[in-house]
Amino acid sequence: MAKIKLLAELKGHHDRTWQISWHRSGQFLCSCSGDRTVHETKPVPVDHPLVWHCLDVLEGVHKRTVRGVAFSPVGDDIATASFDGTTGIPSRPGYECVAPLEGHENEVKSVAWSHTGNLLATCSRDKSVWIWEVLGDGDFECVSILQEHTQDVKMVLWHPTLDILASASYDDTIRIWRDDDDDWYCSATLSGHTSTVWALDFNAAGDHLVSVSDDQTMKFWRCETPHELTSTGATLRFRQDPTWKCVATLANHHTRCIYSVSWSKIHGLVASSSGDNSICIFAPDRITAAHGISDINCVQWNPSPDYADILASAGDDGVIRIWQVTDVE
Amino acid sequence: MVQYKINANPKIYETAGKSQRILTETEQDEDCRDDFDSQEIFDLIRNINDPEHPLTLEQLNVTQCNHIAVDDSANYIRVEFTPTIPHCSMATLIGLCIRVRLLRSLPERFKIDIRVREGTHQSENAVNKQLNDKERVAAALENKHLLEVVNQCLATAA
């Protein structure tokens, strides 16, 4: 069994905290909340694990709940997704606010940067997924609007090493989006969940995906690359998209909606968080009442090898908690 | 708000007028732990006003005490309600009003499921899914117009 220790509690938000995003260095994080702000919080997790400072509070960027926040995997840029229908890109230094990205018809639910930081994806209750090209100097150009989900899109996430996007929806499906010469299309629809898919994450290699749902299950999906079709010496060139097959379903770990999942790229452990107030860690372990009586909306493993044992969580109580998970065999 | 009424002539039910709650001796003893029960939850929502009629949810038989399940020790409440007609487009709004009323009145520890009574609405699953998606509920309550409508329905509840 893993040993789990609560290292710190970061208070400051005045409403439900929705999401956290670690900086790639693992040395600070951003959180967003129903209080319409984003907090950038810096600890020194190893040297001073209990001492955290709020570095910056981003206020006035959004008029409504900030639902999503994402650190760029390459720079120090952050992107924010808000119920006010816009995506914010507060720029350095001091996160001065440049013009927000507009276009979605209503609430933006999630925002994600591709592995190179060259592409940004957003999704919305308007059922669409937008892909933006990052042109630099605060310029973004919408390169594709993908409208195949039939309901509210809850989350977008890029593949860890390729320009492949995954989206999760209220329509109970996950879709995988690829580009063919800048033409973005849906290459796979993953069906199996029986209610809203709230979140997903790739493993380090990007050949597996984990998803969590309101149906209280967690599903693991494996990417299967089709064999080249050959017939009588001539190679038939079809657009052969990999398929994703559900290889495992974990039920009975959570008793209410599962809102978030994080698959560590360092040690491979998966953490999930739920409306049943608990965080589960697979190799299965559990932190009960991890935020007291509150729903836990987000869990994120620290991305840095130096702090790989650190897990952060965000709850309806407006608190961010930092956990250390050790002795995992 | 609505130009024509979706259900112009709803059936009106006799109501008890006041709470049927019978206070027992232990409940009046301030040193005794007094768990929430379905009658108490019912009392919180029975006087919510219908969005299109000057009638309460109790008068329209939309909410009934025995359709409320409470497990205080497990911090769990399930409220089932019955739309006046199976195609009622107000069902989501009524459910939202019940949710907001309970959110405002009960301790935070409770997890609350609001559902349409099985077999009483043609879009039962869609209504239930929306009412129990806390993200969509949060977004709805940031909509000023909608919040006003909800507050109007709740004005009579207290």
Side-chain angles (χ1 to χ4, degrees), chain A residues 20 32 40 45 93 104-105 107-109 123 154 172 190 202 210 221 237 256 267 270 277 323:
Chain A
I20 37 210
C32 63
E40 192 189 356
H104 281 295
E105 282 171 34
E107 296 95 301
V108 183
K109 298 291 178 78
C123 65
K154 297 296 194 185
D172 307 349
L190 286 56
F202 287 98
V210 61
W221 309 81
R237 302 290 296 175
R256 289 185 72 80
H267 48 62
V270 172
N277 309 342
W323 310 84

Side-chain angles (χ1 to χ4, degrees), chain A residues 12-47:
Chain A
H13 282 298
H14 306 302
D15 199 324
R16 167 187 286 147
T17 44
W18 274 113
Q19 207 190 3
I20 37 210
S21 176
W22 286 99
H23 185 262
R24 70 193 137 77
S25 67
Q27 295 187 341
F28 50 101
L29 59 78
C30 271
S31 56
C32 63
S33 161
D35 68 11
R36 304 166 192 199
T37 70
V38 171
H39 288 192
E40 192 189 356
T41 312
K42 186 174 178 71
V44 190
V46 171
D47 300 335

Side-chain angles (χ1 to χ4, degrees), chain A residues 188-204:
Chain A
T189 302
L190 286 56
S191 301
H193 279 298
T194 56
S195 190
T196 305
V197 188
W198 277 91
L200 36 83
D201 202 1
F202 287 98
N203 66 337

Side-chain angles (χ1 to χ4, degrees), chain A residues 64-65 67 107 109 152 154 170 172 196 198 256 275 277 295 297 316, chain B residues 76 108-109 111-113 126 129-130 133-136 138-139 142-143:
Chain A
R64 294 178 56 189
T65 284
R67 174 63 183 91
E107 296 95 301
K109 298 291 178 78
D152 188 358
K154 297 296 194 185
Y170 189 90
D172 307 349
T196 305
W198 277 91
R256 289 185 72 80
N277 309 342
D295 289 6
N297 300 316
D316 268 3
Chain B
Y76 180 71
E108 270 183 77
R109 64 186 168 95
K111 306 287 177 179
I112 303 165
D113 287 336
K129 197 171 181 183
Q130 193 161 0
D133 181 322
K134 72 168 181 183
E135 185 188 73
R136 289 172 71 136
E142 288 185 10
N143 177 328

Side-chain angles (χ1 to χ4, degrees), chain A residues 5 57 79 98 101 128 140 149 173 216 224 239 250 271 287 298-299 313 324:
Chain A
K5 190 168 94 180
V57 176
V98 297
L101 309 182
S128 69
F140 293 78
H149 276 297
T173 70
Q216 301 173 11
E224 297 183 342
R239 190 158 75 180
L250 299 186
I287 311 169
C298 186
V299 277
S313 61
Q324 189 176 33

Side-chain angles (χ1 to χ4, degrees), chain A residues 2 43 71 74 111 143 156 158 164 169-170 172 176 179 195 210 219 238-241 259 299 306:
Chain A
F71 256 119
V74 288
V111 59
V143 292
V156 280
W158 290 92
I164 294 173
S169 168
Y170 189 90
D172 307 349
I176 307 293
D179 86 306
S195 190
V210 61
K219 284 184 184 288
F238 289 108
R239 190 158 75 180
Q240 291 182 28
D241 292 321
Y259 289 113
V299 277
D306 295 337

Side-chain angles (χ1 to χ4, degrees), chain A residues 10-226:
Chain A
L10 320 181
K11 293 177 178 172
H13 282 298
H14 306 302
D15 199 324
R16 167 187 286 147
T17 44
W18 274 113
Q19 207 190 3
I20 37 210
S21 176
W22 286 99
H23 185 262
R24 70 193 137 77
S25 67
Q27 295 187 341
F28 50 101
L29 59 78
C30 271
S31 56
C32 63
S33 161
D35 68 11
R36 304 166 192 199
T37 70
V38 171
H39 288 192
E40 192 189 356
T41 312
K42 186 174 178 71
V44 190
V46 171
D47 300 335
H48 304 285
L50 303 174
V51 184
W52 290 65
H53 304 284
C54 184
L55 289 180
D56 226 330
V57 176
L58 282 70
E59 279 178 296
V61 179
H62 292 295
K63 296 182 193 75
R64 294 178 56 189
T65 284
V66 188
R67 174 63 183 91
V69 62
F71 256 119
S72 165
V74 288
D76 293 330
D77 288 327
I78 65 167
T80 55
S82 170
F83 284 180
D84 69 13
T86 70
T87 304
I89 314 286
S91 70
R92 287 287 195 182
Y95 290 122
E96 292 280 322
C97 195
V98 297
L101 309 182
E102 292 177 354
H104 281 295
E105 282 171 34
N106 39 40
E107 296 95 301
V108 183
K109 298 291 178 78
S110 169
V111 59
W113 301 86
S114 67
H115 68 111
T116 55
N118 292 335
L119 294 167
L120 191 74
T122 56
C123 65
S124 163
R125 190 165 72 91
D126 69 11
K127 308 172 189 176
S128 69
V129 172
W130 291 42
I131 295 176
W132 308 78
E133 197 177 331
V134 182
L135 303 172
D137 288 332
D139 271 351
F140 293 78
E141 185 189 3
C142 177
V143 292
S144 199
I145 298 176
L146 309 166
Q147 294 181 297
E148 290 185 40
H149 276 297
T150 58
Q151 292 287 344
D152 188 358
V153 190
K154 297 296 194 185
M155 182 174 174
V156 280
L157 183 75
W158 290 92
H159 187 280
T161 55
L162 301 167
D163 284 346
I164 294 173
L165 183 72
S167 58
S169 168
Y170 189 90
D171 69 11
D172 307 349
T173 70
I174 298 156
R175 285 177 183 267
I176 307 293
W177 310 88
R178 303 165 69 91
D179 86 306
D180 178 11
D181 204 14
D182 286 338
D183 182 18
W184 288 85
Y185 66 98
C186 176
S187 72
T189 302
L190 286 56
S191 301
H193 279 298
T194 56
S195 190
T196 305
V197 188
W198 277 91
L200 36 83
D201 202 1
F202 287 98
N203 66 337
D207 57 355
H208 283 74
L209 190 66
V210 61
S211 59
V212 292
S213 164
D214 182 45
D215 68 14
Q216 301 173 11
T217 70
M218 173 185 286
K219 284 184 184 288
F220 288 85
W221 309 81
R222 186 173 61 219
C223 182
E224 297 183 342
T225 312

